[in-house]
Amino acid sequence: MQNSPDYTRFLSEAAARRQPSAIREATQLFARSPPTTISFAAGNPNVSLFPFKEATITLKDDTTIQLDSSDMSKALQYLPTPGQADLLEWLRKLQIRYHSPIDFKRYELCVTNGSMEGLSKVFELVLNTTESILVDSPCYSGSLDFLRGFGANIISINTDSNGMSAEYLHNILSNWSDLNTLPRVLYTIPNGSNPTGASMSLERKKDIYNIAQKYNLLIIEDDPYFFLQFEKLVPSFLSMDTDGRVIRLDSMSKVLSGGMRLGFFTAPIPLWQKLVYHQQVTSLHASSLSQMVALKLFEKWGLSGFHQHTEQISKFYENQKNLMVNAIKKHLNDMVTFNEPTAGMFIWMKINGIDDTRKLIYEKALEQEVLLLPGSAFFSDQSKTYPYVRVSYSVCTPEQIETGMARFGKVLREELHK
């Protein structure tokens, strides 16, 4: 096993300055103390004054999970910043089952208010204003919006049906003129990428990881669609991380509920600690109630029940994808070019014969009561025009998929043959 990187290399100036919050550290100390410990340290509200007593939640199979008065007291009170201890232990077992990190003792976990909170904090951990970051192109618009606002220098790496191009990445780095400004961080969505739907093959991930080793890059693995893979689950960057150079972000939004706002990151402990310090002075911790509900559900299901649930989700989205692909072939035919995704919620289409899809989408398609997203939202250079659109098949009924693509086909025929 190789030695860990010098993590100070990856810290932004702000992250390097971060120190623990005395109040939050006291909360964590008390949580680890014997139950006979008396604390005068925390300014927690008295749980006896909360109007909530207990809760019973009915699941879709008509079974229930119960939050008794003791559970509810924990669910309504402040938590240590990394999260509810029993939930963290369950998530560790989840990571070991699906990713089997080579040396899991070098990592730690933290629950966040959705994975986007974790991602924004990771970006601030590793970037100073104007510093470069390597990203998929096209890339998730939420990440681009954050990075643009932050003032990062976004280096776009071309993608294909297997995700980020290792060859293009290597060419960018090997021809970098000033080694003092060489990027230190690579950001990617490896499965069911938003917006392209592309997924990295295992071979591509190995190639990217080897490049990260050669150029001493930190990999931010943003993987909210991991459980939405339609075929065999492809090993993650975390699973192959011999060096401790991967920060992995996971989300429960796609498998439990977006509104629960539950995500978590897995990071090498020196970087995890700085991320926790940041969360201590911002959101304090993710929702205690959401964490308790998730814990009770996971305890009821076990790892096997969770796996069954995610398999059902994957099959649902695969069926939705098939319906959308069939509708595209039927109504759009040779007017568009696309790759069929093997994960996620999206199809990325190039409109043949149209240079810019913004007006097409926001005016003409909307007039026909069908809405897609123009591809321009997913590129760092907003001054250019792009012939792409993103189609999401996640929430529409089969009838809406058929009708919507028929409407969009009418829009394209009128535009291309006017």
Side-chain angles (χ1 to χ4, degrees):
M1 182 173 295
Q2 299 189 22
N3 294 326
S4 296
D6 174 11
Y7 289 114
T8 58
R9 159 183 161 79
F10 299 114
L11 295 179
S12 68
E13 293 174 3
R17 290 193 298 267
R18 293 197 186 282
Q19 297 296 318
S21 159
I23 294 174
R24 292 271 81 209
E25 290 292 300
T27 301
Q28 289 178 219
L29 283 172
F30 186 59
R32 296 194 297 265
S33 299
T36 52
T37 302
I38 298 170
S39 174
F40 299 118
N44 292 351
N46 195 301
V47 295
S48 68
L49 301 176
F50 297 158
F52 310 99
K53 183 179 179 182
E54 58 186 28
T56 301
I57 298 174
T58 303
L59 306 179
K60 285 189 173 179
D61 63 2
D62 289 328
T63 63
T64 62
I65 53 176
Q66 182 76 30
L67 275 65
D68 61 23
S69 57
S70 175
D71 296 326
M72 191 61 88
S73 293
K74 295 176 184 176
L76 296 173
Q77 188 56 281
Y78 290 119
L79 283 175
T81 294
Q84 213 273 2
D86 291 341
L87 177 61
L88 286 170
E89 186 57 34
W90 201 92
L91 293 174
R92 288 187 191 99
K93 293 176 183 177
L94 191 75
Q95 296 301 72
I96 289 169
R97 167 160 183 169
Y98 288 101
H99 306 291
S100 300
I102 292 167
D103 181 10
F104 200 44
K105 292 180 181 178
R106 72 164 74 202
Y107 306 95
E108 193 49 273
L109 279 67
C110 179
V111 183
T112 56
N113 291 292
S115 63
M116 194 65 205
E117 184 201 24
L119 180 60
S120 65
K121 285 180 166 58
V122 170
F123 283 150
E124 292 183 84
L125 172 82
V126 297
L127 287 175
N128 295 304
T129 301
T130 74
E131 283 188 331
S132 298
I133 182 170
L134 303 153
V135 306
D136 298 320
S137 181
C139 181
Y140 173 49
S141 58
S143 299
L144 289 179
D145 290 341
F146 181 92
L147 292 169
R148 272 193 292 259
F150 186 77
N153 180 31
I154 301 169
I155 308 298
S156 298
I157 306 300
N158 290 350
T159 60
D160 56 26
S161 60
N162 279 314
M164 181 179 284
S165 167
E167 181 181 2
Y168 192 95
L169 173 65
H170 187 264
N171 286 340
I172 288 286
L173 294 170
S174 62
N175 291 297
W176 199 271
S177 57
D178 182 2
L179 294 181
N180 291 320
T181 63
L182 192 74
R184 295 174 289 114
V185 183
L186 181 150
Y187 166 73
T188 185
I189 299 178
N191 291 301
S193 176
N194 185 356
T196 65
S199 296
M200 281 194 196
S201 63
L202 178 58
E203 293 73 21
R204 181 68 60 86
K205 285 181 180 177
K206 288 178 178 178
D207 289 343
I208 296 288
Y209 190 84
N210 288 338
I211 293 170
Q213 288 182 309
K214 180 176 181 179
Y215 291 95
N216 198 10
L217 303 175
L218 186 74
I219 298 174
I220 303 173
E221 180 177 33
D222 186 10
D223 206 359
Y225 307 102
F226 176 79
F227 292 109
L228 274 63
Q229 296 180 70
F230 306 143
E231 299 167 5
K232 185 179 179 181
L233 298 176
V234 177
S236 63
F237 280 112
L238 180 64
S239 72
M240 62 181 70
D241 185 21
T242 56
D243 301 352
R245 63 175 66 254
V246 172
I247 296 178
R248 179 177 171 83
L249 293 125
D250 284 279
S251 174
M252 289 297 162
S253 293
K254 311 302 185 292
V255 294
L256 291 189
S257 156
M260 289 178 74
R261 306 310 303 131
L262 280 183
F264 61 101
F265 61 76
T266 306
I269 289 173
L271 300 178
W272 168 86
Q273 188 66 78
K274 290 293 187 178
L275 288 165
V276 169
Y277 289 166
H278 192 177
Q279 186 152 335
Q280 285 180 345
V281 295
T282 51
S283 60
L284 303 188
H285 59 79
S287 165
S288 305
L289 183 57
S290 289
Q291 291 191 55
M292 181 59 76
V293 171
L295 174 63
K296 289 295 179 181
L297 181 62
F298 294 153
E299 288 178 341
K300 177 182 176 68
W301 278 348
L303 285 171
S304 61
F306 178 85
H307 186 75
Q308 268 188 325
H309 175 70
T310 57
E311 282 190 322
Q312 290 172 358
I313 289 172
S314 173
K315 288 175 183 175
F316 172 85
Y317 286 113
E318 183 178 21
N319 184 61
Q320 291 287 101
K321 180 263 297 184
N322 290 336
L323 291 171
M324 183 62 80
V325 167
N326 290 339
I328 290 171
K329 289 179 178 177
K330 178 180 177 181
H331 297 290
L332 308 185
N333 199 9
D334 58 357
M335 294 185 290
V336 301
T337 304
F338 70 99
N339 292 311
E340 188 170 336
T342 58
M345 301 176 169
F346 309 107
I347 292 176
W348 182 248
M349 297 192 303
K350 179 182 179 182
I351 311 299
N352 300 324
I354 292 178
D355 294 328
D356 186 5
T357 57
R358 278 175 284 204
K359 186 174 181 180
L360 176 77
I361 296 301
Y362 290 139
E363 294 182 18
K364 298 180 180 180
L366 204 53
E367 287 175 2
Q368 295 297 320
E369 298 184 358
V370 59
L371 183 60
L372 303 86
L373 274 181
S376 56
F378 304 97
F379 290 94
S380 61
D381 189 345
Q382 294 289 288
S383 66
K384 295 181 179 179
T385 59
Y386 300 94
Y388 303 100
V389 295
R390 191 197 76 175
V391 180
S392 174
Y393 47 79
S394 57
V395 298
C396 292
T397 65
E399 294 77 20
Q400 289 173 325
I401 289 173
E402 182 73 17
T403 302
M405 281 298 108
R407 291 175 181 174
F408 190 54
K410 181 175 183 292
V411 171
L412 288 187
R413 282 190 296 274
E414 291 178 352
E415 185 71 11
L416 291 169
H417 301 114
K418 63 182 181 181

